[in-house]
Amino acid sequence: MAFWDGAPCLEEGSMGFPLLGETLQFFAPNTSSDIPPFVRNRMDRYGPIFRTSLVGRPLIVSTDPDLNYYIFQEEGQLFQSWYPDTFTEIFGRQNVGSLHGFMYKYLKNMVLHLFGPESLRKMIPEVEAVATQRLRQWSSQNSVELKDNTASMIFHLTAKKLISYDSENSSENLRENFVAFIQGLISFPLNVPGTAYNKCLQGRKRAMSMLKNMLQERRANPRKQQIDFFDFVLEELEKDGTLLTEEIALDLMFVLLFASFETTSLAITAAIKFLLNNPHVLEELTAEHEGILRRRENAHSGLTWEEYKSMTFTFQFINETARLANIVPGIFRKALRDIQFKGYTIPAGWAVMVCPPAVHLNPEKYIDPLAFNPWRWEKSELKGASKHFMAFGGGMRFCVGTDFTKVQMAVFLHCLVTKYRFKAIKGGNIVRTPGLQFPDGFDVQIMEK
């Protein structure tokens, strides 16, 4: 049994260089659709569970479905949510991912006020209106850069629901600060002027300043009725004995704005790429949505909640997109005490990174795992998480925005495939990193049918 900082630990793996560890190898981008080379190479050498060191922190990497599932199920007992100090600096020390126990559950219930089924049901017409308007606008252009334009579309919708921010009529460009933030999110954490990480922190600072000013204006001029999520947050802040503080509220708004538009726009971009590469999938998806139109009594009526819930193949398509895109390549937890699992020892205080791509691309579970095949989900559970599917997390921290993402994707796809044709103009490679993934200049042309 080996030791690190006086604690027994896994012998399998390498701690790399002093202080630096294996950080540089971990942060290296790649264009492979397979398991990241950093993880694949170490799986081949050390097995499904191995140790490393990133940014001066000892870390266990798990590609084992059983251990991953165990970690999610033991949330709050043996493990708790944890992210590197650099991520905490970026997302805020009071962000929902860094809070635990009752406080986390309290914030989760607040978010469900926005993303719960009843709210989503009412949101369908608004999502459809935004998708329709943007697609009409894009079809008048020779080409559009898909990732940036879908991000703009979703940010417009999300910011309006969260804080009544109108990106088209505001003198301040809130999204511009998030773009600067995103560009440094996956960078090496060197906080020196001119570095991507420093620009990321500056982007956060500017965005938080805008949010704080909005909050102060709302407090000075409260509304009589709740119109957006900010109104709901303000009501919570004013309650006697509230657990909510202004700092927690602002960090929550920041994380919700980022998570709701950035990950969804990446998923939509990946989905369009998969459709272009798989015409038989596009044909099946189009048939499902044209069938919805044919069954309507009024051909010009809007999409209903019941129609949305009937999109069986669409949900299979979304699951397969999430499985293969692997937009979130790592989920972090921390061991609360020494843990024995399958002969391995995970020392108390060590971080653990669950690696979804290794699970989603496991040939023992998924036949031809790199093939895009929505039909593989025909007899599978399409909601929640399992040992073999964790695109939206798992356990008590299963992503509360999952259904919001699915609504946006499904409604956008409905508007797209029933009214438009599309083709790639250039690019489309997905550059994968330990943070998020960025399509490499994916330009498409959208034409009315």
Side-chain angles (χ1 to χ4, degrees):
M1 185 66 69
F3 287 81
W4 182 265
D5 289 342
C9 66
L10 284 159
E11 292 186 358
E12 291 77 7
S14 168
M15 307 308 289
F17 296 103
L19 298 179
L20 190 61
E22 296 188 301
T23 306
L24 296 180
Q25 300 96 311
F26 179 76
F27 273 90
N30 76 92
T31 56
S32 168
S33 296
D34 208 337
I35 298 168
F38 177 88
V39 175
R40 167 67 76 187
N41 294 341
R42 287 155 184 77
M43 286 174 65
D44 293 342
R45 185 172 181 181
Y46 304 118
I49 304 171
F50 57 88
R51 63 188 171 99
T52 184
S53 175
L54 303 177
V55 199
R57 175 89 189 200
L59 179 79
I60 303 294
V61 177
S62 171
T63 68
D64 182 280
D66 294 328
L67 176 56
N68 296 342
Y69 187 75
Y70 181 67
I71 289 169
F72 289 142
Q73 296 308 305
E74 293 297 328
E75 173 78 33
Q77 303 298 318
L78 301 180
F79 298 90
Q80 71 178 24
S81 178
W82 174 88
Y83 285 91
D85 289 342
T86 50
F87 272 62
T88 305
E89 288 293 329
I90 292 168
F91 286 113
R93 297 202 170 273
Q94 297 294 323
N95 81 81
V96 64
S98 298
L99 298 174
H100 311 289
F102 184 78
M103 194 65 205
Y104 169 75
K105 293 177 182 176
Y106 169 73
L107 290 183
K108 183 177 179 179
N109 286 332
M110 282 185 64
V111 176
L112 284 172
H113 177 83
L114 176 67
F115 293 142
E118 284 306 309
S119 295
L120 292 178
R121 181 190 290 265
K122 296 174 185 176
M123 214 181 288
I124 291 273
E126 194 170 353
V127 176
E128 185 177 20
V130 170
T132 299
Q133 185 264 331
R134 291 301 176 105
L135 283 166
R136 187 185 303 118
Q137 177 183 326
W138 298 346
S139 68
S140 68
Q141 302 172 25
N142 291 330
S143 68
V144 293
E145 202 290 311
L146 194 59
K147 165 60 177 62
D148 186 64
N149 278 277
T150 51
S152 173
M153 174 185 71
I154 295 166
F155 188 84
H156 173 78
L157 174 67
T158 306
K160 189 174 181 181
K161 299 302 295 183
L162 285 171
I163 57 177
S164 295
Y165 173 81
D166 186 345
S167 58
E168 296 176 353
N169 297 306
S170 175
S171 59
E172 295 183 280
N173 192 334
L174 180 59
R175 181 172 169 259
E176 192 174 79
N177 295 317
F178 278 92
V179 171
F181 167 82
I182 291 159
Q183 289 171 347
L185 180 62
I186 59 168
S187 61
F188 189 80
L190 184 63
N191 189 13
V192 176
T195 63
Y197 183 66
N198 178 262
K199 291 177 182 177
C200 175
L201 292 178
Q202 294 306 311
R204 170 186 162 79
K205 185 177 180 180
R206 290 190 296 270
M208 289 296 287
S209 177
M210 288 181 68
L211 289 173
K212 187 169 185 176
N213 289 339
M214 290 179 189
L215 180 65
Q216 290 172 345
E217 288 174 11
R218 291 287 189 89
R219 280 189 134 167
N221 302 286
R223 292 168 170 167
K224 293 182 179 180
Q225 289 185 319
Q226 285 186 17
I227 296 175
D228 59 19
F229 189 63
F230 230 154
D231 291 330
F232 177 70
V233 167
L234 282 168
E235 191 175 287
E236 287 292 314
L237 279 171
E238 299 303 322
K239 287 181 178 178
D240 291 336
T242 182
L243 295 173
L244 194 63
T245 66
E246 186 172 299
E247 183 183 9
I248 293 174
L250 289 171
D251 278 346
L252 177 64
M253 302 303 289
F254 181 87
V255 169
L256 288 177
L257 278 167
F258 170 76
S260 59
F261 90 89
E262 180 59 19
T263 54
T264 306
S265 62
L266 286 166
I268 289 176
T269 304
I272 302 306
K273 179 175 171 59
F274 292 138
L275 287 175
L276 287 167
N277 292 342
N278 299 273
H280 61 298
V281 176
L282 176 57
E283 184 179 345
E284 181 78 12
L285 188 71
T286 303
E288 177 167 87
H289 287 275
E290 288 182 343
I292 289 173
L293 298 184
R294 284 196 303 271
R295 288 190 292 272
R296 283 182 182 168
E297 291 184 11
N298 180 356
H300 301 290
S301 63
L303 194 65
T304 67
W305 181 254
E306 289 69 28
E307 288 172 341
Y308 163 71
K309 298 298 284 185
S310 74
M311 298 176 182
T312 303
F313 185 76
T314 303
F315 295 130
Q316 293 172 204
F317 173 81
I318 290 172
N319 262 26
E320 184 69 349
T321 297
R323 181 192 72 83
L324 205 53
N326 285 306
I327 290 167
V328 179
I331 301 170
F332 293 90
R333 295 290 186 267
K334 182 174 73 173
L336 297 177
R337 62 176 176 82
D338 286 358
I339 295 163
Q340 302 291 329
F341 189 87
K342 291 185 177 181
Y344 296 100
T345 298
I346 302 174
W350 272 47
V352 182
M353 187 185 86
V354 171
C355 184
V359 175
H360 296 159
L361 302 173
N362 181 359
E364 294 181 6
K365 172 60 181 177
Y366 297 103
I367 298 171
D368 195 4
L370 293 178
F372 188 81
N373 177 16
W375 290 274
R376 71 170 85 241
W377 296 94
E378 278 183 318
K379 296 181 180 179
S380 300
E381 175 59 50
L382 296 176
K383 296 184 71 175
S386 71
K387 288 183 181 180
H388 303 288
F389 185 67
M390 51 188 63
F392 304 103
M396 66 176 288
R397 286 184 180 265
F398 183 80
C399 178
V400 293
T402 298
D403 288 334
F404 182 48
T405 295
K406 290 181 176 180
V407 164
Q408 291 181 97
M409 289 186 70
V411 174
F412 177 82
L413 290 168
H414 173 79
C415 297
L416 177 67
V417 301
T418 56
K419 297 176 183 176
Y420 297 92
R421 296 176 292 113
F422 49 96
K423 66 179 181 179
I425 301 299
K426 69 171 186 177
N429 290 327
I430 304 293
V431 179
R432 300 171 186 272
T433 71
L436 296 174
Q437 303 165 20
F438 296 86
D440 183 20
F442 190 16
D443 290 10
V444 297
Q445 184 179 20
I446 296 174
M447 302 151 283
E448 288 189 21
K449 284 186 173 179

